Amino acid sequence: MKKSFKKTTALLLTLIIALSFCPTPLAEQNNSAAGQYEYYDEIPAAEMDIQGDCSIDSGILHISGTGSVQITLAGELTGIYQIGIEYQLDPDNSRPFDVLLSMDQGDASEYVFTRQYQDKTTDGKILQDSRGNDIKPAQETVDGFIKAPFRMADYRAGEYLEFDLKPGSLLKMDFEEQSADIRCIYIFRTIPPVRYVPAAAADGNETVVIEAELPTLKSSAMLYPISDRTSTKTTPYHYAQIRLNTIGGNNWKTPGQWISWNFEIPSDGYYKLTIRAKQSFLRGMKSYRRIEIDGTVPYEELEDYEFLFNRAFQQVTLQSNGEDIYFFFSKGIHSIKMEALMAGALSLDEQLTTVIYELNLIYRQIVMITGIIPDANRTYDLMKQIPNLKTRFESIRQYLNKIATEYESSINSKSSELSFLKELSMLIERYLENSDRISTSLDQYKSNISRLSTLLYNLRQQPLEIDKIIISQKDSVLPRANSNFAELMVHELKSFAASFYTDYTIIGEDSKKQKNLDVWITAGRDQAQILKSMIDDTFTPNSSTGINLSLVQAGLIEATMAGRGPDIALSVGRSIPVDLGIRGALYDLSKFDNFETIRARFQQTAFNAYTYKGKVYAIPETQEFNMMFVRKDILDEFGMEPPQTWDELFQLLSSFSQQNMLVGIPPSILGTLLAQNGMNYYEPSFQKTVFSSNEAYKVYEEFARIYRDYEMPYAYDAGNRFRVGEMPVVIASFAFFNTISVLAPEIRGLWDMYEVPGTVKPDGSIDRSVDASGASTVIFKGCDDPQAAMEFIEWWSSAPSQSRYGIELENILGPSGRYSTANTEAFATLNWSTAQHKKIANQRKYVKEIPEVPGGYIIVRNINNIFIDTIANKNNIRESLLRYSRIMDEELLRKQTELEAYKND
Amino acid sequence: MSSRDSNTASSFFGKIRRDRISWLMMSPYLVFYLLTILIPAIASIILSFTYFDMFGALKFIGIDNYVRMFVDDDVFIIALSNTLVFAIVTGPTSYFLCFFFAWVINDLSPKIRAVVTLIFYAPSIAGTVFVIWKFILSPDAYGLVNSFLMRYGFIHQPLLWFSDPSMTLSLLIMVQLWLSLGVGFLAFIAGLQNVDKSLYESGAIDGIKNRFQELVYITLPSMRSMLLFGAVTQITAAFSVGAISSELAGFPSIDYSGHTLILHAIDYGSMRFQMGYAAAICVMLFLIILFTYRLTVLGLSKIGKQ
């Protein structure tokens, strides 16, 4: 019995070839964690061509920058193989390892190899604070080599990629700005797992329980323990205190994320696996998990095991055809690994992507004829004007019906999305009957596309929350999955009573030190908690000063006025430092010894907004500036390249405006245009604005052309228009990149980010200057120990602190919450891909921040006034500029005289 | 002389002593009234004669702030005229609307009356619900009204609504009217409910011919105190309009087209760090409201008198 079991599981990998950079890897690999390889063959020394910042040293390939490795495979390899690498990443940043792999000089594809994380705990326990609440353990990367095969780029399916190898095949790996080591390249072949054959399980009543919140390893730092209070059966449980008792949930929804647990089996025997899990996050959807035991997927059923939607926790015993699966475990340590993947929804995903693309394409073709708001009184006859529209609609309708049928079978409860799919198919049927309906219901058509995109987005999510895994024998009794009514009542009553004496607002005070600094942070609770743990870990141990951290929402100025303000305030808005500084409420930070050290950490103009008359009132925290986002697929249809200069952008504008296509340029671009012509709002004396000058008039005239001549919108929802493609070029903050990559999966790979268009200088170079925005840190005059406060700022603005803060914040908020630190070194360690980071870093070189001056409030409002006056009401530009610049100049002068007259210090 | 003084004083304290139970019962409100209304009000009158930037010391500058208001601040004049237009249009209009709807609703059966009252009062309960107008009148071509007008060919370019200086004030007045069935409306309903029914019977005997005469000679005089209460709330509401404008038209609005006195005070107090001048604006607003209030009381006292 035992023998037959082994036969089905062990021979998954029949052939492994270690293409070794490593001299004697074999013995070591047999003991490696994966332990799945049956035997190895070492191939004869292959030809290798190493270029760029790569080198081989004692059997390890070091990559420290940009370079490539090309390997010519030796003779005996012929047929379909899989390829993997054994790699180790630079522990100093959080970025994954990007490899561009190409075979036989074909197109290269990008593959991402992740890090491994573990909880930072002492003896495997979650710590508690003085109030008895669990503290979220920090997430740390695990050093050492990791073995992983090449997989589909976004891990959508479980299978490994297959390569057709011939004698002399060329295997080329390119690295761009990477920092990693590779020890081995594996070339191997797997046999797919077989279906489960029922085994006569022997009796026994051993039970092993794994608390899922304490895994051994995980692929992402977002997989930290979380707290569940929906059931009294979730372990550990407390009615009032916070218990981190489950893992996953909405943090474990991206395909490719995995968690693994080690466990100890007390005696040889057959065991079944029961997972107490909950998928209450996506109504009606299934979540898929690939389950590996001891490094391999033992049965076909576990390749994509499905967890059904249910509001409550379920105890899912792994089954095959309705029968429990029994696994043989020998006495000792074993491991189980669960990985999110979307295998079951893969074909639905592909079909939806195709349909959305086609629907969007048709939408754009319609808009090119009718404009985004078609005239209801006009007949457009779209069926004649757009080639093959009838047959294309017909095939979309059939496709939609097919998707609806497939979707119906893939969900496990009634879903409103199903009726919506049918509705959409009926809408298209009506279009086929009468094409005049297309232009009258275009907005309905468009909102249906975005609902379809939401469906696709949801389909790609695989959320699952796990409380525990129970490994038990045939006779052991499983605990009940959920609380009964009486237990729930007691739970609710007790926690209601507890809510009267539990304080949920305190972040942290430090009573051990002699002197303390009051620090206020204007942000969310997550931000404050990260900062608190950073202060405890790396600031207070090395300093004689303690920190009292408070989370505030507003009232900084009022509290300071009342003498109850903080010593240091973080995340302070743009105009506040200069406004408070000139009134004597802040320290001039440039007077401190360590100021020059701090200044060097930032882009050279980052202090502009916080400096007035040579005094520096704040240290930058964040810095955000614009980039250009381009739908490459649509520009290709027009036969155009992403514009590099404003002249090119104007050419694009003129051909776009003829086709009813839009470009998203925010009115704030005026600052950028002024900067590219060597100006900002103010004359160098700061006593006058530039708007009455002839140079500014020329810039403004060009700026006004965008909206007056090309009729581009100035109030718009960039995300949605970029997504459907009616606005294929958008200028927006670089944070837009994360918004789109998270929310618009259907256009993945069809768009890219570029530097903003520049102005060609007489010497032929392109000036890409942009302005920027951001927040900062200040020290108040009420602080008794400014030297200590400045030391805190030196710590806070340093690369390690900013980097850790940014990484931990992204761990909690996900990519859309990526921190835009102003510290250039820390920015490089955040999760930007190499290519994107390079562009942002390049754009940052051109940042020219606009100074803040007393009376600056008058500028923003009057620029708005000029804008409405010249662009909406189409009044004369020169007159308007002159009229409003007089108002601005008067106010600037008045403010400065006033400050002179009533000087405080 | 001195004995008489101490006599009055002792009789003043004597009265307090005598009525101490009443004073005790009033004290929670009195303390809050002193701390949150009376003292700040007096403080802002004092502030209005100073230059104060919130960080430095107070500097007395006499009546400079008031002089500047009328001599050297164009925006103040815009804000003043906007506020007056606003108050003159919305104050009386909404006052009469409130009364008219209350009068109509009062004739419905109690159950239907409760439902209809809720419907009319709902916009006021819902707080900042007026921001839906920002959505309805979005300047985007996809804005609800814009896309409708464009589809049927009324306009070819999206209208800017709140950002168009020529439209801002009228639109804000419209929104304010939509919101204005507030507390006054409820007070009127309560007032109408409390009119003694027997008065109508005796009125009918005394020769009242129609509902209008009934209204003028019986209903209105019987609910004079509710009318006064409604007037006060409507006047204060009409003069202190600010949040609607800053939410819908932006702060400050284009060319200050929706700027009101309250917003002008906020502008100087929180953005320009000139608390003294902001206080002077508020004092001016207070004087205007006081004057209008006296005028209204005078008008209301005429009701029912020949």
Side-chain angles (χ1 to χ4, degrees):
Chain A
M1 184 54 68
K2 194 170 157 184
K3 204 178 157 200
S4 75
F5 174 78
K6 230 184 164 175
K7 200 175 165 189
T8 56
T9 56
L11 281 171
L12 293 181
L13 300 156
T14 56
L15 174 69
I16 299 287
I17 292 155
L19 210 169
S20 48
F21 298 113
C22 30
T24 50
L26 298 187
E28 192 192 340
Q29 277 158 15
N30 274 330
N31 297 331
S32 66
Q36 57 188 340
Y37 303 124
E38 192 67 358
Y39 62 85
Y40 298 86
D41 242 357
E42 207 172 334
I43 58 164
E47 258 181 63
M48 243 182 281
D49 180 17
I50 296 172
Q51 304 211 327
D53 307 324
C54 298
S55 60
I56 289 186
D57 176 31
S58 60
I60 292 173
L61 174 71
H62 299 286
I63 302 143
S64 55
T66 304
S68 70
V69 176
Q70 182 170 290
I71 298 156
T72 315
L73 297 176
E76 53 256 51
L77 289 163
T78 310
I80 304 293
Y81 287 92
Q82 287 134 348
I83 300 177
I85 57 173
E86 193 175 352
Y87 61 101
Q88 173 175 268
L89 300 187
D90 181 357
D92 291 337
N93 67 37
S94 74
R95 282 161 46 198
F97 182 30
D98 295 343
V99 179
L100 283 163
L101 179 76
S102 59
M103 290 296 298
D104 297 326
Q105 282 153 351
D107 290 337
S109 311
E110 190 178 341
Y111 298 94
V112 181
F113 291 88
T114 54
R115 287 159 191 276
Q116 292 184 349
Y117 293 85
Q118 65 188 17
D119 295 313
K120 201 171 171 184
T121 57
T122 39
D123 50 285
K125 284 204 181 77
I126 291 175
L127 294 175
Q128 294 183 339
D129 65 13
S130 53
R131 288 151 200 277
N133 292 318
D134 283 359
I135 301 170
K136 199 191 91 186
Q139 304 297 303
E140 57 182 8
T141 54
V142 182
D143 297 338
F145 281 95
I146 303 167
K147 231 181 247 184
F150 281 91
R151 305 256 305 259
M152 206 187 243
D154 43 10
Y155 298 99
R156 287 195 276 161
E159 299 96 40
Y160 303 161
L161 280 182
E162 291 179 331
F163 298 87
D164 189 2
L165 301 186
K166 302 179 287 292
S169 276
L170 283 177
L171 178 77
K172 188 172 182 231
M173 288 194 281
D174 279 291
F175 314 101
E176 207 178 323
E177 297 291 327
Q178 298 296 323
S179 175
D181 297 336
I182 296 181
R183 188 157 69 181
C184 282
I185 297 173
Y186 299 99
I187 296 171
F188 58 94
R189 197 179 272 171
T190 56
I191 295 177
V194 295
R195 287 194 76 80
Y196 174 68
V197 184
D203 298 346
N205 57 3
E206 296 284 359
T207 305
V208 177
V209 176
I210 310 171
E211 287 295 347
E213 62 272 15
L214 289 168
T216 315
L217 282 176
K218 48 203 162 184
S219 68
S220 157
M222 281 187 84
L223 299 170
Y224 48 81
I226 57 173
S227 170
D228 171 77
R229 288 167 59 87
T230 61
S231 165
T232 61
K233 295 288 172 191
T234 307
T235 53
Y237 161 80
H238 192 278
Y239 62 92
Q241 290 167 350
I242 298 169
R243 287 288 171 270
L244 300 174
N245 48 12
T246 59
I247 196 164
N250 258 329
N251 293 342
W252 193 16
K253 64 184 180 189
T254 314
Q257 286 179 325
W258 55 259
I259 303 177
S260 80
W261 298 267
N262 285 357
F263 56 93
E264 191 173 358
I265 291 291
S267 59
D268 289 10
Y270 285 88
Y271 292 82
K272 61 182 175 179
L273 287 177
T274 306
I275 298 160
R276 185 166 188 269
K278 180 167 79 168
Q279 199 288 88
S280 61
F281 306 92
L282 283 179
R283 216 189 137 67
M285 301 273 202
K286 293 172 183 176
S287 274
Y288 294 92
R289 288 293 179 277
R290 178 174 192 263
I291 301 171
E292 279 182 18
I293 288 170
D294 292 333
T296 54
V297 177
Y299 302 113
E300 198 188 323
E301 290 86 340
L302 304 188
E303 278 280 12
D304 48 359
Y305 205 83
E306 55 188 44
F307 292 84
L308 306 182
F309 169 80
N310 200 307
R311 254 181 237 97
F313 271 101
Q314 300 294 303
Q315 276 178 183
V316 181
T317 301
L318 298 183
Q319 286 185 328
S320 163
N321 290 331
E323 260 185 84
D324 293 353
I325 301 178
Y326 281 89
F327 302 87
F328 179 81
F329 287 119
S330 58
K331 184 176 186 305
I333 305 283
H334 295 270
S335 75
I336 175 168
K337 173 174 164 182
M338 291 176 75
E339 177 181 313
L341 80 167
M342 54 175 298
L346 202 57
S347 87
L348 211 50
D349 179 273
E350 276 163 13
Q351 294 177 44
L352 267 176
T353 314
T354 321
V355 163
I356 293 172
Y357 185 82
E358 180 70 7
L359 284 169
N360 271 328
L361 188 66
I362 294 178
Y363 175 72
R364 289 200 302 274
Q365 289 173 333
I366 295 172
V367 163
M368 283 181 204
I369 295 166
T370 66
I372 55 171
I373 311 278
D375 189 337
N377 305 320
R378 217 179 115 182
T379 313
Y380 289 101
D381 205 3
L382 291 167
M383 289 294 182
K384 277 199 187 116
Q385 295 214 38
I386 298 170
N388 302 329
L389 187 59
K390 200 159 196 147
T391 48
R392 284 161 73 193
F393 266 145
E394 184 57 44
S395 71
I396 286 176
R397 200 183 58 85
Q398 284 168 5
Y399 227 81
L400 280 172
N401 289 341
K402 194 166 148 251
I403 290 172
T405 324
E406 207 167 307
Y407 183 68
E408 197 167 9
S409 66
S410 81
I411 51 178
N412 67 313
S413 73
K414 281 221 161 60
S415 153
S416 60
E417 305 301 338
L418 186 64
S419 57
F420 151 70
L421 279 170
K422 287 177 178 160
E423 248 171 59
L424 181 57
S425 136
M426 272 158 67
L427 180 75
I428 288 173
E429 207 167 297
R430 284 208 302 277
Y431 287 169
L432 285 166
E433 284 164 15
N434 180 356
S435 68
D436 289 342
R437 288 198 171 123
I438 302 173
S439 55
T440 54
S441 62
L442 194 63
D443 50 349
Q444 194 187 347
Y445 179 84
K446 186 187 165 190
S447 71
N448 277 323
I449 302 179
S450 69
R451 255 183 98 179
L452 216 51
S453 309
T454 314
L455 178 63
L456 178 67
Y457 172 77
N458 285 342
L459 207 60
R460 291 193 177 169
Q461 312 301 312
Q462 307 291 327
L464 188 69
E465 187 174 348
I466 297 190
D467 168 40
K468 57 186 154 230
I469 302 170
I470 305 165
I471 300 141
S472 60
Q473 286 188 309
K474 201 177 178 187
D475 300 335
S476 46
V477 182
L478 292 178
R480 194 147 37 84
N482 277 300
S483 346
N484 59 30
F485 182 73
E487 284 165 339
L488 219 53
M489 278 301 282
V490 173
H491 164 76
E492 292 294 344
L493 286 174
K494 278 164 93 177
S495 45
F496 175 67
S499 70
F500 289 100
Y501 54 83
T502 312
D503 187 351
Y504 300 97
T505 57
I506 292 171
I507 295 294
E509 292 195 347
D510 211 319
S511 50
K512 285 169 228 135
K513 302 277 175 169
Q514 292 279 313
K515 41 179 190 171
N516 279 355
L517 288 171
D518 285 322
V519 178
W520 284 16
I521 176 169
T522 319
R525 174 154 289 264
D526 291 326
Q527 284 86 338
Q529 254 149 3
I530 292 171
L531 183 58
K532 170 67 184 152
S533 68
M534 282 170 58
I535 290 170
D536 289 348
D537 287 358
T538 62
F539 181 72
T540 25
N542 309 316
S543 163
S544 58
T545 329
I547 300 291
N548 295 339
L549 184 66
S550 309
L551 176 60
V552 296
Q553 292 311 325
L556 193 61
I557 292 170
E558 292 83 345
T560 310
M561 193 173 123
R564 302 179 58 90
D567 298 314
I568 300 172
L570 309 182
S571 317
V572 172
R574 186 116 284 222
S575 65
I576 294 177
V578 167
D579 263 337
L580 297 197
I582 49 170
R583 292 181 171 85
L586 302 177
Y587 275 100
D588 172 8
L589 305 179
S590 64
K591 295 281 185 297
F592 292 90
D593 297 338
N594 51 359
F595 177 72
E596 285 308 318
T597 326
I598 297 176
R599 172 181 280 250
R601 295 167 176 167
F602 302 96
Q603 200 264 345
Q604 69 259 21
T605 70
F607 282 87
N608 280 8
Y610 313 123
T611 309
Y612 186 67
K613 292 201 170 154
K615 293 181 174 175
V616 181
Y617 296 113
I619 303 292
E621 244 172 69
T622 56
Q623 191 181 37
E624 265 189 49
F625 42 86
N626 283 340
M627 299 288 287
M628 182 175 65
F629 298 85
V630 173
R631 282 286 297 269
K632 292 181 293 182
D633 56 331
I634 300 174
L635 255 60
D636 280 351
E637 284 169 27
F638 281 84
M640 283 191 269
E641 290 291 313
Q644 294 296 314
T645 65
W646 281 96
D647 293 339
E648 287 176 31
L649 185 63
F650 275 108
Q651 279 168 24
L652 185 134
L653 279 170
S654 85
S655 65
F656 267 22
S657 66
Q658 285 158 22
Q659 307 270 10
N660 290 320
M661 297 296 263
L662 303 173
V663 176
I665 305 175
S668 60
I669 204 76
L670 180 63
T672 296
L673 283 170
L674 285 171
Q676 295 188 356
N677 288 283
M679 282 177 274
N680 63 51
Y681 299 153
Y682 308 102
E683 304 253 297
S685 69
F686 292 152
Q687 288 181 341
K688 220 172 158 294
T689 59
V690 293
F691 295 104
S692 53
S693 71
N694 203 38
E695 292 80 24
Y697 167 73
K698 278 185 191 148
V699 171
Y700 199 90
E701 202 181 26
E702 177 159 290
F703 166 74
R705 273 172 64 203
I706 302 170
Y707 309 101
R708 273 165 70 144
D709 299 357
Y710 301 114
E711 298 184 336
M712 289 301 150
Y714 37 86
Y716 52 86
D717 165 14
N720 268 328
R721 293 186 173 190
F722 187 69
R723 183 181 194 165
V724 296
E726 67 187 52
M727 192 178 265
V729 178
V730 166
I731 293 177
S733 157
F734 57 74
F736 190 71
F737 182 89
N738 296 318
T739 315
I740 291 295
S741 26
V742 172
L743 291 178
E746 76 276 11
I747 53 169
R748 180 187 314 219
L750 300 179
W751 59 282
D752 208 347
M753 177 168 75
Y754 299 90
E755 292 92 337
V756 296
T759 300
V760 183
K761 295 278 126 182
D763 64 354
S765 63
I766 297 178
D767 183 350
R768 293 182 188 275
S769 301
V770 286
D771 56 341
S773 63
S776 60
T777 312
V778 297
I779 305 179
F780 282 92
K781 270 281 161 70
C783 176
D784 300 326
D785 191 353
Q787 207 62 48
M790 197 61 178
E791 270 160 35
F792 175 77
I793 292 185
E794 184 177 356
W795 169 82
W796 164 239
S797 64
S798 69
S801 299
Q802 287 289 305
S803 163
R804 176 170 163 193
Y805 182 75
I807 291 167
E808 291 199 12
L809 197 60
E810 188 168 345
N811 289 346
I812 292 177
L813 302 177
S816 53
R818 189 167 297 162
Y819 183 55
S820 27
T821 178
N823 182 313
T824 47
E825 192 189 337
F827 194 93
T829 65
L830 298 182
N831 221 341
W832 293 99
S833 79
T834 318
Q836 307 308 342
H837 176 255
K838 211 164 137 187
K839 291 176 201 161
I840 296 175
N842 190 33
Q843 181 68 72
R844 193 191 294 274
K845 285 184 202 147
Y846 290 100
V847 167
K848 289 205 180 78
E849 291 215 20
I850 298 173
E852 285 285 333
V853 307
Y857 50 81
I858 203 72
I859 308 296
V860 184
R861 57 179 75 171
N862 280 300
I863 287 179
N864 275 340
N865 289 343
I866 300 173
F867 187 82
I868 297 289
D869 192 45
T870 55
I871 283 148
N873 299 337
K874 302 211 167 38
N875 288 330
N876 183 291
I877 292 173
R878 201 181 285 269
E879 272 173 26
S880 185
L881 282 174
L882 283 175
R883 188 166 75 243
Y884 287 102
S885 72
R886 204 171 58 238
I887 298 177
M888 291 188 268
D889 295 348
E890 271 172 18
E891 180 68 21
L892 285 183
L893 194 65
R894 184 205 300 277
K895 200 78 206 173
Q896 290 177 14
T897 339
E898 175 198 311
L899 283 168
E900 228 22 74
Y902 301 107
K903 219 168 180 178
N904 290 326
D905 51 4
Chain B
M1 187 73 187
S2 69
S3 75
R4 228 186 103 204
D5 267 347
S6 71
N7 249 346
T8 34
S10 79
S11 75
F12 175 70
F13 285 110
K15 275 181 189 164
I16 290 185
R17 225 179 124 74
R18 190 191 61 205
D19 303 332
R20 60 184 180 279
I21 300 294
S22 315
W23 282 99
L24 188 72
M25 288 175 140
M26 281 202 312
S27 61
Y29 173 74
L30 275 184
V31 169
F32 278 107
Y33 179 76
L34 273 176
L35 286 178
T36 61
I37 298 185
L38 202 60
I39 294 174
I42 294 168
S44 60
I45 293 175
I46 298 171
L47 271 182
S48 72
F49 296 102
T50 65
Y51 174 85
F52 178 47
D53 70 356
M54 300 166 90
F55 296 99
L58 293 182
K59 292 175 183 95
F60 279 90
I61 54 170
I63 57 165
D64 280 11
N65 283 333
Y66 292 94
V67 173
R68 179 175 167 199
M69 222 181 270
F70 291 100
V71 179
D72 191 22
D73 188 356
D74 298 343
V75 183
F76 174 78
I77 305 297
I78 298 175
L80 181 65
S81 80
N82 283 346
T83 309
L84 288 177
V85 170
F86 224 103
I88 289 167
V89 178
T90 64
T93 316
S94 64
Y95 188 64
F96 287 116
L97 279 179
C98 278
F99 186 80
F100 177 74
F101 283 117
W103 190 47
V104 170
I105 286 171
N106 191 46
D107 279 349
L108 301 170
S109 74
K111 271 184 191 157
I112 300 178
R113 185 166 60 213
V115 173
V116 178
T117 308
L118 180 67
I119 291 172
F120 276 101
Y121 190 49
S124 312
I125 312 176
T128 54
V129 71
F130 56 81
V131 293
I132 64 156
W133 289 99
K134 202 173 177 173
F135 173 70
I136 296 173
L137 296 177
S138 159
D140 192 334
Y142 284 122
L144 285 181
V145 180
N146 273 341
S147 66
F148 177 83
L149 292 178
M150 283 169 83
R151 175 166 330 140
Y152 292 101
F154 294 105
I155 52 174
H156 295 286
Q157 279 288 305
L159 292 179
L160 289 179
W161 305 112
F162 291 110
S163 301
D164 183 339
S166 62
M167 277 197 269
T168 318
L169 197 59
S170 346
L171 288 171
L172 290 175
I173 287 174
M174 187 198 76
V175 176
Q176 174 66 21
L177 285 178
W178 174 76
L179 269 180
S180 63
L181 295 178
V183 184
F185 168 70
L186 286 193
F188 291 158
I189 291 188
L192 287 166
Q193 299 277 299
N194 282 338
V195 177
D196 190 347
K197 296 283 183 291
S198 63
L199 286 179
Y200 293 120
E201 284 167 29
S202 43
I205 297 167
D206 285 348
I208 279 181
K209 294 196 194 78
N210 52 35
R211 289 297 301 274
F212 183 72
Q213 283 186 348
E214 194 180 278
L215 179 71
V216 174
Y217 294 110
I218 300 173
T219 315
L220 287 180
S222 325
M223 52 181 291
R224 195 174 289 142
S225 55
M226 283 78 177
L227 289 179
L228 187 61
F229 174 77
V232 174
T233 48
Q234 292 296 347
I235 291 167
T236 349
F239 277 103
S240 49
V241 161
I244 293 182
S245 170
S246 62
E247 283 290 335
L248 295 178
F251 178 66
S253 41
I254 299 298
D255 278 343
Y256 302 103
S257 54
H259 212 55
T260 61
L261 286 180
I262 282 284
L263 291 179
H264 201 47
I266 293 175
D267 189 9
Y268 273 90
S270 69
M271 294 189 79
R272 306 187 190 210
F273 295 87
Q274 283 172 255
M275 270 301 182
Y277 191 62
I281 296 169
C282 290
V283 171
M284 191 53 74
L285 181 61
F286 173 70
L287 293 176
I288 295 171
I289 294 178
L290 201 65
F291 174 75
T292 325
Y293 168 72
R294 295 306 308 170
L295 214 64
T296 320
V297 171
L298 212 65
L300 285 176
S301 66
K302 298 253 190 298
I303 287 179
K305 291 183 183 156
Q306 292 299 327

